[in-house]
Structures are given as structure tokens and as C-alpha cells.
Amino acid sequence: MAKNLVIVESPAKAKTIERFLGKDFTVKSSFGHVRDLSKKQLGVDVDKGFKPNYIISEDKKKVIAELKKLAKDAEMVWLATDEDREGEAISWHLFETLKLEKDRTKRIVFHEITKKAIDDAINNYRSIDLNLVDAQQARRVLDRLVGFELSPVLWRKVKPALSAGRVQSVAVRLIVEREDEVKNFKVTSYYRVTADFKIENNGKVSELKAELPSRFKTKEEAVEFLNTCIGAEFSVNAIEKKPAVKKPAPPFTTSTLQQEASRKLGYSVSKTMLVAQQLYESGKITYMRTDSVNLSDLALGMAKKEITDNFGEEYHQSRKYSTTTKGAQEAHEAIRPSYLNQHEISGTSDQKRMYSLIWKRTIASQMSNARMERTTVNIGISKTSKKFVAKGEVLIFDGFLKVYLESTDEADQQAKSGVLPPLKEGQKLPLVKMDATERFTQPPVRYNEASLVKKMEELGIGRPSTYAPTISTIQKREYVLKEDRPGTIRDFNLITLKDKEISHTVKNEKTGQVKGKLIPTDIGNIVNQFLIKHFVNIMDYNFTAKVEKEFDEIALGQKAWNKMIEAFYKPFHKRVETTIEKSEKFSGEKLLGQEPENGKNIFVKIGRFGPMVQMGDTESEEKPRFAGLKKGQTLENITLQDALDLFKFPRSVGNYEDEEMTVSIGRFGPYVKHKSKFYSLAKTDDPLTVDDARAIIIIEEKRKKDREKVIKKFDENQEVQVLKGRWGPYISIGKKNIKIPKGTEPEKLSLEDCLKIAEEADKKPTKARRAKKK
DNA sequence: CAGTGAGCGAGCTTCCGCTTGACTT
């Protein structure tokens, strides 16, 4: 039995550390937090100093049992969880649940996993910092109080099963407000003038492109300018050369990795985290949930060697980066390859691509600046004081650009200017042509997953471990949707001056394309309005920053955590109560107009099951009729006619096999119902016009598919079937579906085999079932 | 996950942070 037990948070880390420590040490992991507030109740006694009721998480019971046993037998327990608020709390929870003894427990921390760092940590042990633990408890309790008191208000006033929280509600707000900006943006057009000149140098002909720095507001002004330029003489007024440098970006944090993987590899933030986790677990990169841009001395040394060996000494420049991020806790290093001499790895193509990205970014961060020379040429016009400007850039030394350049979010970047041809001051420039192109002002760009993370990080909302889960939560609650939109064609004017003649053409371009952007739903809009109306302080972009400041004071021992919570909770709770009592249901109800025949009012609003239309008043004797909105329809864009169409369902479309067929719109889109069976319409079908002939085709097609679906049937037991599904063959027994074990040929299964497989499946634990809920 | 398809209120929803779970022999 080892004399020493070391407990860290991650099992991968445990493995590495164990190698450094030798056989007197056993290293185990806690797998993150081991206790939390009870899941079902508030878990905080608001009347007794906000005493938290901690419960060992179900999936941690085994871990705790094992650690308890090992701790009992060890001479010394070393709590080596991360050096931040959460890590300190994990150590404390371990101390409490494992019932450790003070004089046989030491708290240590290290930021990098090297022999030296670990030895140093062992020599610099301390005790658990209870102030820091209190700061974490305050954070935990605050989040619980906000989440568990606010969400029920939404259930009562807006719609059941909604949620609100310090982080997610503000994330939704960002998206809602950006959408409003896009909606309210007034596109205006202007004219940009460019000119092409011909340059002759010793018989060599080249082109010089220049632009007028000022823009024209109207077509008339642009034409007037071009008119002025007819027959004018153009000449070089001045040439200015200026040196410039470009610096590499700092090494990756979780947030910047998510952004770059999104831009360069097209990954969602959850995919980025999944692949990074694989790389971490196989020891190829350092920890992937970090807000630090710091590289260890070891890494700096490796980077220096790699750069000098591969590119030469002049390419190396040692750099220390420091974080500018609000609320960063910096318990880890930046995300970097574990071994920088490994330029490539084996693995899946996703892993290879991400590794290569991380390697390049890390190496580039320790390389020299790129140096260039920027040239600006002013070109005078004989008939006006306006001037054209030509810009060129020559790379003098590539530096870090040799390996890596960070991408940007800006959609339409100016074309990179290249080398200018040799020019002399006073030189005459013959005009080839001049274009005045109509351009349009751009609305703000909607967030995608990664740019939302960037914004959240700027505001200090959320942590590296929660960016991805938060983004999936707000989509799961249907507050926002990730959307693609094809865009529309827009005409623009092009006026050209060539050979002293002015010509007008109309061209077109695609605009308004959207790919993977986050767009608020009706529910998202309504919930956001509601929360801002009643709980503006929590929706404040600075709320987190404010409470973080108080958590810091608690960590420094300047404030008692439950006093802080009390000061927040009293007014907050009162607000919750008055909102429940006084405020009306918040449905976003809007009167669209009247039904032309019966004159009843038509409303749109959020109902128990989402956005819907209503015919007739709620207070009237006669019950109103309801219908859900179709995909793509929103409270804002729906018209009276759309709404009236929705009441046309269910529509009878004739008889088939002596039974009526009806077309209706359900939760999963339009369908035909026949003999109490459902048949989905194709995307191309219009549910308002589908007739009997088409409905019969749809029914028959589905029947054919169902027949092909059956691999095996058993006459002796009709309930049991072997079927072909979307995910391969499976056994269906009544309402239950069972996966076929690997290596079994579905065609050869007998009834007995099927029943046996089903029985086996039944015995297995029901863990998978928890994930079933939508 | 394996096909879902209503009703407009009787009973469950929910938070943010840490971390990766495993069913044989």
C-alpha cells in the first residue's frame, strides 16, 4: 500500500503525475466535483444562513468509496485539485466527504505537469483556503437561487419547462439584441470609385489599381465625378513608404481555440471540445479547458528549439503573454501540444487537423514579428482636387507568418494589396478605366456559436468548461436556433468610364446569406422581454462582473459569504414574489385582425405548447379555436392570411379504401391521416392544396417502405419483428426496440434468439434511459 | 434515437461548474 495518496481532478492528469512521483505515491482522480446541492429541491436553507445541503452525486459514489478506502490506508493525503475557486472547493468537499484528518492532509497546487513543478508543489504544501471555498459556495448558492427561483416564474407566466439563469439568460439577451439591431438596420447605398492605370516601364506593361478615399452618396454625384475625369490627366503626386509590423496571436485558450476551429475548420464548439478532449486523453495536448495564455518554461524551451532548428534563429522571439480576460482564473496552461517536437500526430483526420492548428498557433506565438513595408501613392487629377490612392504592401520578413495567421470574423475583407510597380513622383498615369460601384452598408453580423463564446468571455460570463454546454442549453430550450438562409439577389449599379465614354450597367450579387448563425425564436424573444421587464439587474451585462467582485472580497476574507447572498436574495426574492402575484401572463399576444366570415378576432401568442394562433376571445362563451404555427412562421412575420390558413386544418381530402383522409399539421410538420395512421407529407407538398390523388401516393409510398423495412416476421408471435431502421437492423417487440448485438446476422435470427436478446437487454442497467428526454 | 402527430393547464419542468462515465469473459 502506497504511503501517499494524491487526488487530482482529471484521470488523465493522474496518470501522468503518477509517472513522476514514484511508487510511494498513488495518484487518483475525483472526476471533478464530488458533491453538489440536491438536484430536486432548492438545496439551500434560506432561513438558516443559506446553509447548503450537499449531496454526493450518484455517479460519484463509487469514486468516493474507493478514495475513502485509499485515504484510510495512506499516511498522507495530498489534495492536488486545480488552483482556482472551484478546485479549492473540490478539495474541501473531498476533505469533508472522505472524513480526512487535518494533520494527515495537505493541499498542494501546480500549474504545469513537470517533475520540478510537482516536486516544488510537494515542498510548498498548505492547508485548504476556506475563504476561497466560501467564495465558491457563494457562487454556487447564488446560481442556484437565481436559477431555481426564476425558472418557476417563467413556468407560470410564460410556458412550462423553461429555464433562466445568470449565464444562459444573458447569452440569449445578446442574441436577441443583435437580431434587433439587424432588423432595425437601414441599408443605405453609396458609390465607391476605383481606377485602373497603365504603367509602362522599359517596355514592360503592368497595372496599377487605385481607389478614391471618399465615397459618393448618390449616383448623380458619382456620375458627375466621372464626367469631370473625362479627358483629365492623372499623375503621381507623392509616394510614401512606411515600415509596419505584425505580431502573432497568443497561444490558445478554450475560447480562442473554439473561435479558430470554427473559422478555419468549421467545427461547432461542442465538436471542438470533443476532439480536444480526445487529444488531451491521449496525452497529445495540455488541458483543453483553460482561460490562460501562459506557456510553461518547459514549453518555451521546446518552442525555441523547434523554431531555431526548423526555421533559423532569426525566427525565434520569446514572448510571455498575459491574460486580459475578465475573471480569468488561470489554473492551467494555455492549450498547447505536450511535445512541440511532434509536428504531426497519428489519429482521426479531425484530431490531426486540430493538433496541427494547435501546434502552429503555439509555435507562431514564439516567433518573430512579420515585417513589411507599406507604400501609399497619391494620384492627382488635373481637373479636380480629389486624389486617388494606391496602396501596396511588401513583406520584408515573414516571421511567424511562415507557419500561422489568425483568421478574422469579418465577412468581406478588402483584397490584400500586393506589390506596387516601380513609380516616380510626377509620373503620368494613363487611365485604362474608372468604375463607380454601388455598395451597401452592412448590418451587424449575427453571432455564431464561437463568436458568442468570444462575447461571453469578454463580458466574463461563463467559464471554459461551460461555454459549450451553455450554447447547447439555449438551443435545447428553443430560445435560439442555429440557422442557414440562402440569401437573396440584389441589383447594384455600375458606372464605368472608359475611352472617354460613360456607360451604365446593372449587376447583381447575393446578399443576406446566413450560415450557422444564432437567431432568436419567439420563445427566446418573449422570455427575454419578460426577464428584462421584471429582473433587469440579473439581465444586466455587468451582473456577473459585479458579483465576481464580491466573490473576490469573500476570497480575501473581507466579507462573509452568506451576508453577501443575503443582501442579494432579500430584494430578489421579493421581486420574484411580486412578479408571481401581480404580473399578467406574458404571452406576447398580438391581434392580427378578424376572420372575414364570422368576424372573430385572430390572435397570435405563445401558448403552453409554443407559438400558436387563436380564433375568438378567451373570455367569450364559446371556446376559442387554436392552431400551432408552422415552421418558419414567427409571431412577428405571420400575416392574417397565414393565420387563417392554419385554421383550415384538419382538411378532408377525400376517401381511400372507404375511409376518410385528412391533412393536418402536427408537431413534426404536415401529414396525411388515414385509418388512424400518419403519413408525413414531402417537403415539396403544400398542405393547403394536396388532393386525394397525391395523398394516396403518399400513403402507398410509405406502405411500400414499411414492407421493405421488415427483415423477418414470426407467425407464431406477431409482436416480434426484425426491422431495418435508420441506425441499422433492430428487434421490435410490441413497443420496445432492441439493438442487435454486434456480429449477429439479422436474417438468421430465430424467434428464440430475439426473445433471448430482448431478455438480456432488459437485465442491463437503465442508464441509457436517462438521456431519452427531449 | 429506432417514429413521433395533442391540447390550451393536475402536476413534471429549472441553475452553473468541475469532470468523464462503460455490460460480459
Side-chain angles (χ1 to χ4, degrees):
Chain A
M1 183 46 65
K3 289 189 204 137
N4 296 281
L5 172 65
V6 180
I7 306 176
V8 295
E9 289 177 38
S10 142
K13 200 168 167 182
K15 249 196 304 188
T16 333
I17 293 171
E18 197 154 43
R19 283 207 308 268
F20 287 117
L21 280 173
K23 59 176 184 304
D24 283 346
F25 288 81
T26 302
V27 186
K28 289 284 168 191
S29 108
S30 75
F31 296 86
H33 273 295
V34 293
R35 284 202 310 192
D36 192 14
L37 299 174
S38 106
K39 284 238 171 336
K40 288 276 151 200
Q41 299 122 23
L42 187 62
V44 177
D45 194 337
V46 292
D47 298 323
K48 293 205 177 108
F50 301 94
K51 192 176 181 308
N53 175 23
Y54 293 117
I55 288 173
I56 298 173
S57 324
E58 200 49 47
D59 52 337
K60 294 297 161 54
K61 289 204 165 140
K62 253 176 91 176
V63 178
I64 290 294
E66 194 198 354
L67 291 177
K68 216 178 217 170
K69 200 164 149 254
L70 290 168
K72 215 180 96 196
D73 297 337
E75 283 172 22
M76 186 60 67
V77 178
W78 305 80
L79 298 172
T81 52
D82 296 345
E83 188 183 27
D84 58 16
R85 203 161 62 202
E86 298 296 328
E88 202 69 20
I90 292 174
S91 275
W92 177 73
H93 281 299
L94 284 168
F95 184 85
E96 296 278 307
T97 43
L98 302 179
K99 301 201 166 57
L100 301 179
E101 294 158 39
K102 267 216 170 89
D103 50 2
R104 277 173 53 210
T105 307
K106 285 170 177 167
R107 168 82 171 115
I108 54 170
V109 294
F110 35 77
H111 307 109
E112 50 184 279
I113 306 175
T114 58
K115 177 89 177 116
K116 186 177 174 299
I118 294 166
D119 287 344
D120 283 354
I122 298 273
N123 292 326
N124 289 294
Y125 62 85
R126 54 175 174 85
S127 53
I128 294 173
D129 180 348
L130 291 173
N131 288 331
L132 195 52
V133 173
D134 281 352
Q136 193 273 347
Q137 300 203 86
R139 198 281 303 155
R140 181 67 192 94
V141 168
L142 178 89
D143 282 338
R144 170 54 66 94
L145 291 172
V146 170
F148 274 40
E149 294 220 352
L150 228 41
S151 301
V153 179
L154 293 179
W155 304 343
R156 295 182 61 163
K157 299 297 174 185
V158 185
K159 182 176 171 298
L162 294 176
S163 65
R166 174 176 58 84
V167 173
Q168 58 167 287
S169 296
V170 178
V172 173
R173 178 179 185 178
L174 284 166
I175 296 163
V176 169
E177 289 187 346
R178 178 57 54 90
E179 192 65 24
D180 287 344
E181 285 171 40
V182 172
K183 238 177 269 162
N184 297 330
F185 187 80
K186 298 263 183 297
V187 176
T188 55
S189 77
Y190 57 89
Y191 284 80
R192 200 178 114 197
V193 181
T194 54
D196 292 359
F197 300 103
K198 197 163 89 178
I199 312 286
E200 280 199 65
N201 258 323
N202 307 326
K204 240 177 75 187
V205 179
S206 55
E207 210 167 57
L208 178 69
K209 286 186 181 298
E211 187 179 333
L212 205 65
S214 54
R215 269 90 233 239
F216 296 107
K217 282 208 175 91
T218 63
K219 190 175 172 184
E220 290 67 35
E221 289 172 65
V223 171
E224 193 194 324
F225 174 76
L226 259 56
N227 262 318
T228 315
C229 289
I230 297 178
E233 214 165 58
F234 303 89
S235 56
V236 175
N237 275 169
I239 303 174
E240 194 190 10
K241 292 190 175 182
K242 255 197 205 155
V245 293
K246 201 172 254 166
K247 290 181 186 165
F252 279 134
T253 60
T254 303
S255 150
T256 52
L257 176 66
Q258 288 171 347
Q259 290 158 44
E260 274 291 85
S262 164
R263 294 185 285 231
K264 286 202 154 102
L265 310 177
Y267 292 174
S268 66
V269 303
S270 61
K271 175 157 186 186
T272 297
M273 295 316 283
L274 184 79
V275 178
Q277 175 96 28
Q278 292 164 354
L279 291 172
Y280 168 67
E281 282 175 14
S282 54
K284 297 192 176 75
I285 61 167
T286 55
Y287 198 56
M288 65 284 158
R289 291 187 274 262
T290 177
D291 49 22
S292 169
V293 286
N294 187 50
L295 293 176
S296 68
D297 291 339
L298 180 82
L300 293 178
M302 282 196 288
K304 181 176 182 183
K305 182 167 185 322
E306 282 316 298
I307 295 163
T308 30
D309 287 0
N310 287 284
F311 310 112
E313 215 168 309
E314 70 275 23
Y315 279 93
H316 178 253
Q317 181 179 338
S318 192
R319 299 168 196 266
K320 279 257 180 198
Y321 296 90
S322 55
T323 184
T324 51
T325 309
K326 234 189 242 179
Q329 308 222 351
E330 303 202 74
H332 303 97
E333 259 190 88
I335 303 171
R336 64 160 172 92
S338 308
Y339 308 101
L340 282 162
N341 57 2
Q342 213 179 340
H343 297 204
E344 277 158 12
I345 54 156
S346 56
T348 65
S349 86
D350 283 339
Q351 291 167 358
K352 284 182 188 168
R353 293 170 78 199
M354 180 168 291
Y355 181 85
S356 164
L357 187 67
I358 296 171
W359 186 85
K360 286 177 182 165
R361 174 90 165 210
T362 310
I363 288 287
S365 78
Q366 295 302 314
M367 289 177 77
S368 318
N369 291 340
R371 293 198 306 275
M372 39 255 179
E373 185 180 75
R374 288 197 182 128
T375 309
T376 309
V377 180
N378 284 317
I379 299 162
I381 311 168
S382 60
K383 292 165 77 176
T384 157
S385 62
K386 284 195 160 38
K387 286 180 182 12
F388 276 99
V389 174
K391 282 184 175 166
E393 189 177 280
V394 182
L395 194 62
I396 295 170
F397 177 66
D398 54 0
F400 76 95
L401 291 177
K402 212 175 187 74
V403 296
Y404 179 87
L405 178 63
E406 187 179 35
S407 306
T408 57
D409 285 324
E410 273 82 74
D412 87 342
Q413 268 188 63
Q414 293 281 359
K416 261 256 103 46
S417 45
V419 187
L420 293 181
L423 293 166
K424 283 198 300 276
E425 280 187 23
Q427 180 176 345
K428 299 266 178 288
L429 299 170
L431 179 73
V432 180
K433 69 162 183 164
M434 193 182 291
D435 283 333
T437 316
E438 185 181 18
R439 300 307 318 140
F440 303 89
T441 51
Q442 299 279 350
V445 180
R446 294 184 177 92
Y447 291 107
N448 63 19
E449 291 189 356
S451 62
L452 180 66
V453 168
K454 183 181 177 187
K455 186 68 193 178
M456 288 169 66
E457 188 186 36
E458 275 170 32
L459 295 169
I461 298 164
R463 303 280 311 133
S465 66
T466 61
Y467 293 139
T470 302
I471 280 176
S472 72
T473 299
I474 61 177
Q475 292 180 66
K476 216 162 55 196
R477 299 264 176 277
E478 292 178 340
Y479 290 147
V480 305
L481 290 175
K482 208 156 65 175
E483 254 185 50
D484 295 341
R485 289 180 185 171
T488 51
I489 303 292
R490 163 171 76 191
D491 287 344
F492 65 92
N493 292 311
L494 176 65
I495 309 147
T496 303
L497 165 62
K498 199 176 177 188
D499 302 329
K500 301 192 176 175
E501 300 255 319
I502 290 180
S503 60
H504 294 254
T505 36
V506 176
K507 299 202 146 200
N508 62 53
E509 63 186 344
K510 218 179 204 182
T511 180
Q513 273 163 290
V514 157
K515 206 167 182 316
K517 299 291 188 190
L518 298 170
I519 295 178
T521 62
D522 285 332
I523 309 266
N525 272 315
I526 297 282
V527 167
N528 187 61
Q529 276 176 40
F530 179 83
L531 290 175
I532 287 181
K533 186 170 170 197
H534 296 288
F535 299 95
V536 70
N537 61 326
I538 287 168
M539 297 301 282
D540 190 327
Y541 290 127
N542 288 317
F543 178 69
T544 292
K546 272 187 221 151
V547 292
E548 279 291 339
K549 227 171 119 192
E550 298 189 74
F551 297 152
D552 287 346
E553 288 166 25
I554 296 167
L556 290 171
Q558 297 162 352
K559 206 173 212 174
W561 77 267
N562 44 11
K563 291 277 173 252
M564 178 233 156
I565 294 295
E566 189 176 13
F568 162 79
Y569 184 72
K570 271 193 169 160
F572 169 71
H573 183 68
K574 203 162 186 184
R575 188 85 231 192
V576 168
E577 285 187 325
T578 52
T579 307
I580 286 177
E581 267 174 49
K582 302 253 167 70
S583 88
E584 297 275 298
K585 265 213 155 202
F586 201 80
S587 65
E589 183 174 286
K590 220 168 68 173
L591 181 65
L592 281 182
Q594 283 76 37
E595 213 278 346
E597 278 171 31
N598 60 25
K600 284 184 182 167
N601 283 333
I602 305 281
F603 302 97
V604 275
K605 63 184 196 184
I606 299 278
R608 230 173 108 64
F609 300 95
M612 62 173 192
V613 286
Q614 175 181 333
M615 191 196 307
D617 296 305
T618 317
E619 306 81 36
S620 73
E621 289 271 306
E622 201 183 342
K623 263 198 149 192
R625 276 186 70 196
F626 301 97
L629 258 53
K630 265 198 300 195
K631 225 180 142 193
Q633 291 179 333
T634 66
L635 296 193
E636 251 170 77
N637 71 15
I638 193 167
T639 62
L640 179 60
Q641 188 54 53
D642 293 336
L644 293 172
D645 285 345
L646 289 172
F647 289 112
K648 293 186 179 150
F649 300 105
R651 250 182 85 224
S652 177
V653 288
N655 285 341
Y656 183 48
E657 293 168 348
D658 297 330
E659 293 227 18
E660 192 189 26
M661 297 181 290
T662 51
V663 169
S664 195
I665 295 177
R667 198 151 129 51
F668 308 99
Y671 62 91
V672 185
K673 192 173 175 185
H674 178 243
K675 293 188 186 170
S676 57
K677 278 197 161 168
F678 298 89
Y679 306 89
S680 287
L681 295 194
K683 280 208 178 79
T684 45
D685 287 320
D686 177 4
L688 278 174
T689 57
V690 163
D691 58 9
D692 55 341
R694 176 64 191 148
I696 291 167
I697 292 172
I698 290 166
I699 291 170
E700 284 305 327
E701 273 176 0
K702 168 81 164 124
R703 284 181 181 171
K704 189 167 159 244
K705 227 167 119 192
D706 281 349
R707 280 197 298 275
E708 284 165 0
K709 202 174 94 173
V710 180
I711 299 175
K712 247 186 141 162
K713 277 210 291 210
F714 305 100
D715 291 336
E716 54 271 44
N717 189 340
Q718 299 275 356
E719 261 209 325
V720 181
Q721 287 184 322
V722 182
L723 302 175
K724 195 162 72 188
R726 211 159 111 197
W727 289 275
Y730 66 98
I731 299 167
S732 148
I733 301 178
K735 286 210 157 173
K736 263 173 56 187
N737 296 299
I738 305 116
K739 202 168 102 185
I740 293 177
K742 265 187 212 144
T744 327
E745 282 180 58
E747 293 81 10
K748 292 189 181 156
L749 285 171
S750 69
L751 179 59
E752 287 71 38
D753 292 338
C754 290
L755 291 173
K756 212 172 109 195
I757 291 171
E759 204 180 309
E760 299 275 314
D762 251 359
K763 275 192 273 179
K764 281 162 196 172
T766 53
K767 267 213 168 134
R769 232 169 257 178
R770 262 199 296 157
K772 225 180 139 174
K773 274 207 139 164
K774 199 192 100 145

Short mmCIF file of all heavy atoms in Angstrom, two decimals, chain A residues 557-576:
data_model
loop_
_atom_site.label_atom_id
_atom_site.label_comp_id
_atom_site.label_asym_id
_atom_site.label_seq_id
_atom_site.Cartn_x
_atom_site.Cartn_y
_atom_site.Cartn_z
N GLY A 557 -11.29 37.19 2.44
CA GLY A 557 -11.69 37.20 3.84
C GLY A 557 -12.28 38.52 4.31
O GLY A 557 -12.39 38.78 5.50
N GLN A 558 -12.66 39.38 3.34
CA GLN A 558 -13.18 40.70 3.72
C GLN A 558 -14.70 40.70 3.88
O GLN A 558 -15.29 41.71 4.26
CB GLN A 558 -12.79 41.74 2.65
CG GLN A 558 -11.30 41.90 2.53
CD GLN A 558 -10.90 42.58 1.23
OE1 GLN A 558 -11.75 42.78 0.36
NE2 GLN A 558 -9.63 42.90 1.09
N LYS A 559 -15.33 39.59 3.54
CA LYS A 559 -16.78 39.57 3.55
C LYS A 559 -17.24 38.15 3.84
O LYS A 559 -16.62 37.20 3.40
CB LYS A 559 -17.25 39.99 2.15
CG LYS A 559 -18.61 40.60 2.11
CD LYS A 559 -18.87 41.13 0.71
CE LYS A 559 -19.75 42.36 0.76
NZ LYS A 559 -19.90 42.95 -0.56
N ALA A 560 -18.34 38.03 4.58
CA ALA A 560 -18.89 36.69 4.85
C ALA A 560 -19.78 36.30 3.68
O ALA A 560 -20.58 37.12 3.22
CB ALA A 560 -19.69 36.69 6.13
N TRP A 561 -19.66 35.06 3.22
CA TRP A 561 -20.37 34.71 2.00
C TRP A 561 -21.88 34.76 2.17
O TRP A 561 -22.58 35.21 1.27
CB TRP A 561 -19.91 33.33 1.48
CG TRP A 561 -20.46 32.13 2.19
CD1 TRP A 561 -19.89 31.46 3.23
CD2 TRP A 561 -21.69 31.46 1.90
NE1 TRP A 561 -20.69 30.42 3.61
CE2 TRP A 561 -21.80 30.39 2.81
CE3 TRP A 561 -22.70 31.65 0.97
CZ2 TRP A 561 -22.88 29.52 2.83
CZ3 TRP A 561 -23.79 30.77 0.98
CH2 TRP A 561 -23.87 29.73 1.90
N ASN A 562 -22.37 34.34 3.32
CA ASN A 562 -23.84 34.35 3.43
C ASN A 562 -24.42 35.74 3.64
O ASN A 562 -25.57 35.99 3.33
CB ASN A 562 -24.34 33.35 4.47
CG ASN A 562 -23.53 33.37 5.74
OD1 ASN A 562 -22.71 34.28 5.92
ND2 ASN A 562 -23.74 32.41 6.60
N LYS A 563 -23.58 36.66 4.10
CA LYS A 563 -24.04 38.07 4.17
C LYS A 563 -24.23 38.62 2.76
O LYS A 563 -25.18 39.34 2.47
CB LYS A 563 -23.02 38.93 4.93
CG LYS A 563 -22.96 38.62 6.40
CD LYS A 563 -24.07 39.36 7.17
CE LYS A 563 -24.12 38.91 8.63
NZ LYS A 563 -25.27 38.08 8.98
N MET A 564 -23.27 38.28 1.94
CA MET A 564 -23.36 38.74 0.55
C MET A 564 -24.62 38.18 -0.12
O MET A 564 -25.37 38.89 -0.79
CB MET A 564 -22.13 38.29 -0.23
CG MET A 564 -22.17 38.69 -1.70
SD MET A 564 -21.90 37.30 -2.82
CE MET A 564 -22.72 37.92 -4.28
N ILE A 565 -24.85 36.89 0.10
CA ILE A 565 -26.01 36.25 -0.50
C ILE A 565 -27.30 36.86 0.05
O ILE A 565 -28.25 37.13 -0.69
CB ILE A 565 -25.98 34.72 -0.24
CG1 ILE A 565 -24.81 34.08 -0.98
CG2 ILE A 565 -27.29 34.06 -0.67
CD1 ILE A 565 -24.88 34.15 -2.48
N GLU A 566 -27.29 37.12 1.33
CA GLU A 566 -28.49 37.69 1.95
C GLU A 566 -28.83 39.05 1.33
O GLU A 566 -29.99 39.32 1.00
CB GLU A 566 -28.27 37.86 3.45
CG GLU A 566 -29.55 38.25 4.17
CD GLU A 566 -29.36 38.33 5.68
OE1 GLU A 566 -28.20 38.34 6.15
OE2 GLU A 566 -30.38 38.39 6.38
N ALA A 567 -27.80 39.86 1.14
CA ALA A 567 -28.03 41.19 0.56
C ALA A 567 -28.61 41.08 -0.84
O ALA A 567 -29.42 41.90 -1.27
CB ALA A 567 -26.72 41.97 0.53
N PHE A 568 -28.20 40.06 -1.55
CA PHE A 568 -28.75 39.87 -2.89
C PHE A 568 -30.15 39.28 -2.83
O PHE A 568 -31.07 39.71 -3.51
CB PHE A 568 -27.84 38.94 -3.71
CG PHE A 568 -28.55 38.37 -4.92
CD1 PHE A 568 -28.70 39.14 -6.06
CD2 PHE A 568 -29.09 37.08 -4.90
CE1 PHE A 568 -29.38 38.64 -7.16
CE2 PHE A 568 -29.76 36.58 -5.99
CZ PHE A 568 -29.92 37.35 -7.13
N TYR A 569 -30.29 38.27 -1.97
CA TYR A 569 -31.50 37.45 -2.01
C TYR A 569 -32.75 38.20 -1.57
O TYR A 569 -33.83 38.02 -2.15
CB TYR A 569 -31.32 36.21 -1.15
CG TYR A 569 -32.49 35.26 -1.21
CD1 TYR A 569 -32.72 34.51 -2.36
CD2 TYR A 569 -33.37 35.13 -0.14
CE1 TYR A 569 -33.80 33.64 -2.43
CE2 TYR A 569 -34.45 34.26 -0.21
CZ TYR A 569 -34.66 33.52 -1.35
OH TYR A 569 -35.73 32.67 -1.42
N LYS A 570 -32.63 39.01 -0.53
CA LYS A 570 -33.82 39.67 0.02
C LYS A 570 -34.61 40.42 -1.04
O LYS A 570 -35.79 40.12 -1.27
CB LYS A 570 -33.44 40.58 1.18
CG LYS A 570 -33.45 39.81 2.50
CD LYS A 570 -33.38 40.77 3.66
CE LYS A 570 -33.65 40.05 4.97
NZ LYS A 570 -33.13 40.83 6.10
N PRO A 571 -34.00 41.40 -1.70
CA PRO A 571 -34.78 42.11 -2.74
C PRO A 571 -35.14 41.22 -3.92
O PRO A 571 -36.22 41.35 -4.49
CB PRO A 571 -33.83 43.23 -3.17
CG PRO A 571 -32.48 42.85 -2.71
CD PRO A 571 -32.66 41.96 -1.52
N PHE A 572 -34.25 40.29 -4.25
CA PHE A 572 -34.52 39.42 -5.39
C PHE A 572 -35.76 38.57 -5.14
O PHE A 572 -36.66 38.48 -5.97
CB PHE A 572 -33.30 38.52 -5.66
CG PHE A 572 -33.55 37.41 -6.64
CD1 PHE A 572 -33.71 37.69 -7.99
CD2 PHE A 572 -33.63 36.09 -6.21
CE1 PHE A 572 -33.94 36.66 -8.90
CE2 PHE A 572 -33.87 35.06 -7.11
CZ PHE A 572 -34.03 35.35 -8.45
N HIS A 573 -35.79 37.96 -3.97
CA HIS A 573 -36.90 37.07 -3.65
C HIS A 573 -38.23 37.84 -3.61
O HIS A 573 -39.27 37.36 -4.06
CB HIS A 573 -36.66 36.38 -2.32
CG HIS A 573 -37.73 35.39 -1.97
ND1 HIS A 573 -37.90 34.22 -2.67
CD2 HIS A 573 -38.71 35.43 -1.03
CE1 HIS A 573 -38.94 33.56 -2.16
NE2 HIS A 573 -39.45 34.28 -1.17
N LYS A 574 -38.17 39.04 -3.09
CA LYS A 574 -39.36 39.88 -3.03
C LYS A 574 -39.88 40.13 -4.45
O LYS A 574 -41.07 40.05 -4.74
CB LYS A 574 -39.00 41.20 -2.38
CG LYS A 574 -40.20 41.88 -1.77
CD LYS A 574 -39.77 42.93 -0.78
CE LYS A 574 -41.00 43.49 -0.08
NZ LYS A 574 -40.66 44.56 0.83
N ARG A 575 -38.96 40.43 -5.31
CA ARG A 575 -39.27 40.68 -6.71
C ARG A 575 -39.94 39.45 -7.35
O ARG A 575 -40.90 39.55 -8.10
CB ARG A 575 -37.94 41.00 -7.43
CG ARG A 575 -38.02 41.45 -8.83
CD ARG A 575 -38.24 42.93 -8.88
NE ARG A 575 -39.37 43.12 -9.78
CZ ARG A 575 -39.76 44.26 -10.29
NH1 ARG A 575 -39.15 45.36 -9.96
NH2 ARG A 575 -40.77 44.32 -11.11
N VAL A 576 -39.40 38.28 -7.02
CA VAL A 576 -39.98 37.03 -7.54
C VAL A 576 -41.42 36.92 -7.07
O VAL A 576 -42.33 36.63 -7.85
CB VAL A 576 -39.15 35.81 -7.05
CG1 VAL A 576 -39.90 34.50 -7.32
CG2 VAL A 576 -37.79 35.78 -7.75
#
